[in-house]
Amino acid sequence: MEANVPKRKEPAKSLRIKVISMGNAEVGKSCIIKRYCEKRFVSKYLATIGIDYGVTKVQVRDREIKVNIFDMAGHPFFYEVRNEFYKDTQGVILVYDVGQKDSFDALDSWLAEMKQELGPHGNMDNIVFVVCANKIDRTKHRCIDESEGRLWAESKGFLYFETSAQTGEGINEMFQTFYVSIVDLCENGGKRPTANNSASFTKEQADTIRRIRNSKDSWDMLGVRPGASREEVNKAYRKLAVLLHPDKCVAPGSEDAFKAVVNARTALLKNIK
Ligand code: GTP
Ligand code: MG
């Protein structure tokens, strides 16, 4: 008789995780969290003083996840308060404002601050990072485009989402993917699943796209000295074309970079005898 009784499935154990938010003051960290947890948006800026702490429960597959969220103040003034909260973190929400270049450029220093506080034995490889390119509703003010943000994030193996705490765009998808990745990481013994471990493009490709974006003229873009010969221009062009050809390179922004290189070569060859 007993053999016919279907076994009750053991409920998966609940999980407790710690998540922190990082990024410059006023980029929208608190609003992103509020939008997700309270489904509302506050347009008045209320700077976080030191740290705000909250707990929320989410469901990922058959597991209940208890999330402790530490929402950090971005202002440098609060460094002494927030520096104690970096340790024992499973997930980081790294935010910048797409209309504030400074806040995008500051992402590296946020990682550096965390690394420093974790000390020589801290391991950032076992943490899930999600980059939020926030305030995408302010289209007129935008100065960092999607491919630039995505390239930065994906070349580090981080998740990337375009978000607006004001309209709610991207917020639920971002949190859902973020929590699933953290659970995957916990179930994988604290190691990032290998698929997410490495970007699908090389550092050389990412660096080259960035260099092309920032180049001051066509010579600079091709990486040749002003007044270089046709042969030199063609040689430099061929090297870049192989590296960035859309059939071979999937790095964000590679298509635009490839087009820019083609145009630069055409423009230069027109004027070289
Ligand atoms: P600190 O706590 O000082 O580090 O700032 P924070 O990053 O937590 O910024 P906060 O969430 O307080 O938002 C700063 C300002 O930006 C507020 O006036 C928000 O209303 C506004 N804001 C936040 N997200 C968005 C957004 O997606 N779109 C627009 N238009 N405004 C936003
Ligand atoms: Mg805040």
Side-chain angles (χ1 to χ4, degrees):
M1 277 289 278
E2 243 178 46
N4 291 335
V5 180
K7 266 196 184 161
R8 257 214 331 188
K9 210 178 152 209
E10 283 290 319
K13 266 214 235 135
S14 73
L15 191 67
R16 186 187 278 262
I17 60 171
K18 176 182 167 186
V19 162
I20 62 173
S21 68
M22 274 167 33
N24 278 8
E26 236 177 301
V27 294
K29 301 179 292 298
S30 303
C31 284
I32 287 174
I33 294 167
K34 204 163 271 159
R35 165 59 76 186
Y36 181 71
C37 296
E38 299 173 23
K39 312 272 174 273
R40 65 192 180 102
F41 175 70
V42 184
S43 60
K44 188 163 178 255
Y45 174 41
L46 299 163
T48 304
I49 308 297
I51 295 271
D52 268 345
Y53 169 71
V55 188
T56 178
K57 277 185 190 159
V58 292
Q59 188 81 19
V60 173
R61 296 189 287 265
D62 56 349
R63 295 188 86 156
E64 187 184 81
I65 318 295
K66 196 170 173 187
V67 188
N68 294 286
I69 304 187
F70 293 80
D71 176 24
M72 296 206 184
H75 200 283
F77 180 77
F78 296 111
Y79 167 68
E80 294 293 339
V81 184
R82 63 173 183 258
N83 66 5
E84 295 179 20
F85 290 89
Y86 283 118
K87 56 184 181 299
D88 303 324
T89 295
Q90 281 82 39
V92 175
I93 305 169
L94 195 52
V95 185
Y96 69 92
D97 173 348
V98 295
Q100 293 285 340
K101 187 167 184 318
D102 287 0
S103 71
F104 177 67
D105 293 340
L107 295 179
D108 282 311
S109 30
W110 282 101
L111 290 182
E113 180 174 306
M114 180 169 195
K115 200 168 180 190
Q116 185 187 322
E117 294 313 317
L118 292 181
H121 302 298
N123 189 355
M124 309 257 286
D125 293 341
N126 295 341
I127 299 170
V128 174
F129 285 84
V130 63
V131 175
C132 294
N134 194 39
K135 306 199 188 182
I136 55 164
D137 55 283
R138 302 185 76 218
T139 43
K140 279 199 189 129
H141 294 88
R142 185 157 191 167
C143 60
I144 306 291
D145 68 19
E146 177 175 352
S147 62
E148 193 170 0
R150 196 177 274 285
L151 182 68
W152 187 88
E154 292 184 359
S155 56
K156 293 190 153 45
F158 297 173
L159 300 166
Y160 172 88
F161 281 86
E162 301 246 303
T163 59
S164 166
Q166 189 194 59
T167 65
E169 195 177 340
I171 303 285
N172 283 343
E173 297 86 331
M174 181 276 287
F175 273 102
Q176 195 56 31
T177 309
F178 182 51
Y179 290 141
V180 167
S181 302
I182 295 175
V183 172
D184 286 347
L185 178 125
C186 293
E187 289 176 353
N188 199 34
K191 291 194 195 86
R192 276 196 225 181
T194 37
N196 292 345
N197 236 354
S198 54
S200 44
F201 47 88
T202 64
K203 183 171 181 312
E204 188 187 7
Q205 287 170 327
D207 290 346
T208 305
I209 292 168
R210 254 181 238 123
R211 191 186 63 69
I212 288 169
R213 257 175 204 286
N214 296 328
S215 56
K216 56 182 193 299
D217 55 31
S218 300
W219 303 109
D220 191 28
M221 187 175 286
L222 288 184
V224 294
R225 64 181 168 85
S229 66
R230 291 184 85 85
E231 290 68 39
E232 286 170 312
V233 167
N234 278 328
K235 196 173 161 205
Y237 164 77
R238 272 196 299 274
K239 200 170 158 225
L240 289 170
V242 169
L243 192 67
L244 299 175
H245 196 282
D247 287 352
K248 301 218 177 69
C249 181
V250 295
S254 57
E255 227 175 290
D256 286 345
F258 180 74
K259 278 186 205 147
V261 166
V262 171
N263 291 340
R265 175 203 184 214
T266 312
L268 290 180
L269 290 185
K270 250 191 217 161
N271 296 317
I272 302 174
K273 298 223 175 75

